Amino acid sequence: MSLGTVSNVLNNPEVVALPTRQRVLEAIDRTGFVRSTAAHQLRVGKSRTVGVVLLDIANPFFAEMVRGAEGVLRDNGYVLMVCSTDESIERERRYLRVLEEHRVDGLLITPVEHDLREVAELAGRGIPTVLLDRDGGEQELCSATVDDIRGGELAAGHLFELGHQAIAFVNGPSSIRQCADRREGAQRALRRARRRSPATLREMTVNALSVDQGEKAAIGLLSLTPRPSAVMCANDQLALGVLKSLSEAGVAVPDEMAVVGYDDVSFASMLSPALTSVRQPKYELGAIAAELLLEEALGSNHKHRSVRFEPELVVRASSGATRRGAGRAGQPRPVP
Amino acid sequence: MSLGTVSNVLNNPEVVALPTRQRVLEAIDRTGFVRSTAAHQLRVGKSRTVGVVLLDIANPFFAEMVRGAEGVLRDNGYVLMVCSTDESIERERRYLRVLEEHRVDGLLITPVEHDLREVAELAGRGIPTVLLDRDGGEQELCSATVDDIRGGELAAGHLFELGHQAIAFVNGPSSIRQCADRREGAQRALRRARRRSPATLREMTVNALSVDQGEKAAIGLLSLTPRPSAVMCANDQLALGVLKSLSEAGVAVPDEMAVVGYDDVSFASMLSPALTSVRQPKYELGAIAAELLLEEALGSNHKHRSVRFEPELVVRASSGATRRGAGRAGQPRPVP
DNA sequence: GTGAAAGCGCTAACAT
DNA sequence: ATGTTAGCGCTTTCAC
């Protein structure tokens, strides 16, 4: 019963005679032996590990995506190293460094910045990489995305169509691609609206897509002149914060202020009022990204692929669309 | 410029002469060298990795805890292997196995089952372990917890004090300790209520603490006879599902049915109606657990410690406490 | 202050 | 079918 045989029992059981195999298994059990992935990795070059770098795991949008990815990766024997960057490029860099030192077998990443060169370099150094909710642009990278330009257009277009002329857009830094895209979509809707009326879109940039920042932004928003009659938020966390602040300030939604979110997280439909939002297939996004990653990591002759989903506007009470005669700016009306 | 010197430059820079050091650093930069954690680990025995095993990362309660833990562990150079068990004991076992093979330097875990022997064995084999939101019972383990018995008592007691006599309790499997404890607290409140009136507590067990399961449970709840006038839920995900179903079924909350949740997640206050819930310090729980882990992993002579937080009832509209003359069972009344 | 060499636990190629 | 051995990339004595 030698070292090599033990290894074979673990990795190629069929090559070892049954009696020996059992003797080995019994010994493993008796001694409480647990193989070392590190040593395995050193020899074979696979760490059975995938890095997942995202903006914030406490954001339900990302958490759902992670669940989608975890489901497929777990079944393939991988474990996830989850890294929240909090939208900090330094933190992202540090994490990428650490993940590379760990020799992750793959990387799922929602990059903080617009510029993908660092990520592309990593991929170039041989780490299979899939962009999460972010397309590769000119870089040759796999990605699983939702059309954010279209999503932004849906959200803003909805508000313009309801007759709002002064819309505020609580958006994250435009260094974040999703934010830039949603803004572009919103501006597209704006241009269209302008053909009929003097519409305006006032962007308020916050530095994180969080509930906190949404609360702060809403306060600022109320002191704008003229006060906008509608807000569009770059995600539901921000929208939640905005709703909180408006509620505290006694501003009626949607009558004094219409609100639209983005992501359609699980609680959006049960907010007070129910939040109109742009739905993204979160779980599927993660699952597809993981599958692309496996393809790239295992497949021999891999071609980069991008999967793109279509966003969908889910209209609920917060935008006021359910009222007859959709609301005009600053004209509070009695609750039905 | 030999191998050993390179190692020294990376780990004990001060021991290498400046010119050599710079030469080495330049070479590292030029060749794009990235050290291998696996090899390091094989030699030194540290993986710079912490396993985090929890029921569901998509549950904001756990996601917040992870953020708390990540904050302190990241600063200490660790990366988190996040594992959602989905309350499946087999999945937990598989993950624990994998984490042990990875030789994680520590383990934060919310175990699925009541029985902690397997976890205690792991800890006994030398993996520093801290229980997350779960106390060690007779096992010698560090833990960061909230008093769930007290929490359950607060939630149920609140409903009984409002005059409800038939309360339903949508709870997870009592193999999950938190669920068992919350139930015990609820029963304590029940016994107290019984001294004044013929109160009842009807438990409905669901097999996951999810929005889905909450929706299903609420439907069953409506066909109970006599129909309860209040529901207490084991967490806010369930409560969210219950609210969704009740809303669809046209049952007014809190007038026809009062609802209480547990966790007080970020969106609880903005639900329609705002959810009465038991607040737990989620972020702090994760942060403290991580600190206990570091203590145990780094400190020489470690004594096991348990940190216990007190839960806090946050009363909002969903329980109907804000109405004058709190509701009695099955007596719908006009919305004020 | 620097270099040479042993060994961490494993696997794959080879020898028996 | 089983045993033997070299070497993955690193750290850490120990000589120089």
Side-chain angles (χ1 to χ4, degrees), chain A residues 7 11 33 35-36 40 43:
Chain A
S7 176
N11 303 301
F33 170 83
R35 76 216 283 171
S36 155
H40 172 99
R43 195 66 247 263

Side-chain angles (χ1 to χ4, degrees), chain A residues 97, chain B residues 1-35:
Chain A
R97 183 49 175 255
Chain B
M1 183 164 93
S2 84
L3 213 50
T5 307
V6 175
S7 176
N8 275 328
V9 169
L10 259 40
N11 304 299
N12 308 70
E14 68 283 359
V15 101
V16 181
L18 194 69
T20 337
R21 204 192 308 175
Q22 289 183 327
R23 223 153 35 91
V24 170
L25 287 174
E26 187 275 332
I28 285 180
D29 218 62
R30 184 165 38 76
T31 58
F33 169 84
V34 179
R35 73 213 287 170

Side-chain angles (χ1 to χ4, degrees), chain B residues 111-115 134 172-180:
Chain B
V112 172
E113 301 220 320
H114 210 97
D115 186 353
R134 180 83 145 66
S174 65
S175 55
I176 297 178
R177 179 61 168 272
Q178 290 89 328
C179 296

